[in-house]
Amino acid sequence: MERMKNIMDVQNINIEAVVEKINLLYKISQERELTEEEKELQGKLRKRYIDNVKRNFKSQLDGIEPKNIKKG
């Protein structure tokens, strides 16, 4: 868990590491209650993950070209 404490800037971690750390914190939470610091880190990691999903989804939507629909 010491490694978790050293991670302050969640924005600079690649998304695979974010998912790995979210899963690790979840496992720990099943064994014992998370510390306040771990809960704070978990929240930051989850926000980073959700922001990434939103950004990717928006990028996909921006790339969609509407087709002309003929009414008739």
Side-chain angles (χ1 to χ4, degrees):
M1 191 77 297
E2 193 64 34
R3 292 180 307 171
M4 294 274 182
K5 293 178 183 176
N6 294 330
I7 300 170
M8 297 307 240
D9 192 7
V10 173
Q11 296 303 317
N12 291 330
I13 305 171
N14 70 36
I15 200 66
E16 291 82 13
V18 168
V19 171
E20 184 179 315
K21 291 178 189 334
I22 289 170
N23 289 335
L24 177 60
L25 285 167
Y26 173 76
K27 273 188 194 178
I28 292 170
S29 75
Q30 296 303 299
E31 298 169 8
R32 64 169 173 77
E33 188 171 340
L34 296 177
T35 66
E36 288 304 314
E37 189 175 63
E38 290 167 336
K39 288 177 185 178
E40 183 180 336
L41 177 59
Q42 185 181 46
K44 288 179 181 179
L45 290 166
R46 286 177 174 173
K47 182 176 181 346
R48 165 79 160 82
Y49 179 79
I50 291 169
D51 289 348
N52 187 70
V53 169
K54 288 178 183 177
R55 187 173 47 254
N56 288 343
F57 188 63
K58 182 179 182 332
S59 177
Q60 287 178 347
L61 289 177
D62 289 345
I64 294 174
E65 294 292 326
K67 291 184 177 181
N68 291 336
I69 299 174
K70 294 182 181 179
K71 295 183 179 179

